Amino acid sequence: MFKGPMDVLVQTIRKEGFLGLYKGMASPLLGIAAVNSLLFTAYGVSRRIVSPFPDLSIPQIGLAGAMAGAANAILASPVELFKIRMQGQYGNTGDRRLSKVFKDTWATHGFRHGVMRGFWATVAREIPAYGAFYAGFEFAKREYRKRYGENLPVWALLSSGSFGGISYWLACYPLDVVKSRVQLRDAPVKGVFYITDELRAIVREGGTRALFKGLSPSLLRSIPAAAATFATFELSRDFLRSFTGV
C-alpha cells in the first residue's frame, strides 16, 4: 500500500489532513501517565529485588528493566491495542472515535480476547525492550558522568534518554511487529503459541525483512520521546528530593 515512511506521510496528509498524523493519540494520551507511573515504580522495586545495593551493574539494570517491562505490559497492552486499532482505520470516511472502538471491541470479543488481545505478545516485547531501555540509558549516562561529573547538563540527560530509546526498539522490534498484527486483526488469536506462529507467518509472507518493516520511523520517534521521558523523570526526581528532603 505504501512505498515507504515518506509515502505514508504524504498520503496521510493528502487523504486525511495534517490531523490524520495524530490519529490514535487519545489512547496513549489518556493512559501514558498510568503506564509510566507503573513502569518507573516497577523499575524501582525491581532494582531492590535484583540487589540490595544502590549501585547496580549494567547487566543488573537490564534485568531490573526487563522485570519492570513485564509488569508494565498490564497497562501497556490495552493502551497499545486501542492506539493501533484507531490508526488502522486508514483513509476511511467513517472513522470511529475511541469510545466507539472500545465499545465495539468489548461487545464483540470481551475483555480477554478483546481489550487484552495481544497481552502475551506485549509481555514478550516489553521484557527485552525495557531491559535495553534502562541499560542503554544508564550506560550513556555513566559515560557522560566520566566527563562532566555527577550533575549532568540537561542535554546529556536528553542524549542518554535517546540512546535508551534507540536501544529499546533495536532489542524488540520483530516482537512489536507481531504484537501490532495481532492487535489490529479482527479475529482474536488462538492457541498458546501464537507468537511463534505469527513470526513464521511474517517471514513466510515477506521474508526476514518484514520483521523490521517500519523500524526507521520507530527509531526516529524514540529519540525525542525517550529523551523527554528520562530527562523529565530525572529532573522531577531531583526536584522532589530537594523539595521534600526524602
Side-chain angles (χ1 to χ4, degrees), residues 4-222:
M6 289 305 298
D7 189 38
V8 176
L9 175 67
V10 172
Q11 287 200 44
T12 299
I13 294 175
R14 182 183 300 154
K15 293 179 180 179
E16 301 185 345
F18 182 76
L19 292 179
L21 299 174
Y22 292 87
K23 182 182 291 185
M25 183 179 176
S27 178
L29 193 63
L30 291 172
I32 196 64
V35 168
N36 279 345
S37 177
L38 174 61
L39 173 65
F40 280 94
T41 300
Y43 175 64
V45 173
S46 299
R47 284 178 62 103
R48 292 191 289 272
I49 293 174
V50 170
S51 173
F53 304 103
D55 295 327
L56 275 63
S57 66
I58 297 299
Q60 287 176 322
I61 288 171
L63 176 58
M67 293 166 63
N72 186 61
I74 296 171
L75 291 181
S77 182
V79 169
E80 285 278 306
L81 179 134
F82 290 112
K83 180 194 74 171
I84 288 170
R85 294 187 75 81
M86 288 291 294
Q87 292 173 339
Q89 303 178 103
Y90 187 80
N92 296 335
T93 55
D95 288 350
R96 298 170 295 170
R97 293 181 178 272
L98 177 61
S99 58
K100 177 63 174 173
V101 172
F102 176 82
K103 290 177 182 177
D104 290 348
T105 302
W106 182 278
T108 306
H109 300 294
F111 180 76
R112 179 183 175 187
H113 295 294
V115 175
M116 296 301 291
R117 179 186 302 177
F119 171 72
W120 292 112
T122 306
V123 172
R125 181 193 76 165
E126 303 288 72
I127 289 174
Y130 280 109
F133 187 63
Y134 282 103
F137 169 73
E138 193 64 31
F139 172 79
K141 189 171 70 171
R142 291 181 182 185
E143 290 299 309
Y144 279 122
R145 279 179 172 169
K146 291 178 183 178
R147 183 169 183 177
Y148 298 103
E150 288 295 315
N151 296 320
L152 292 178
V154 174
W155 68 263
L157 291 175
L158 292 169
S159 177
S160 300
S162 297
F163 188 77
I166 292 171
S167 301
Y168 174 103
W169 285 114
L170 292 179
C172 75
Y173 198 77
L175 292 169
D176 183 72
V177 174
V178 169
K179 180 197 69 65
S180 298
R181 282 169 55 111
V182 166
Q183 291 180 330
L184 185 59
R185 67 174 51 159
D186 291 329
V189 292
K190 297 180 180 180
V192 295
F193 301 108
Y194 72 84
I195 297 176
T196 54
D197 292 342
E198 197 69 31
L199 283 169
R200 285 195 291 266
I202 294 169
V203 173
R204 187 168 58 249
E205 293 168 12
T208 54
R209 290 183 61 184
L211 294 172
F212 299 92
K213 186 179 293 185
L215 176 60
S216 56
S218 294
L219 288 174
L220 289 173
R221 182 188 75 173
S222 71

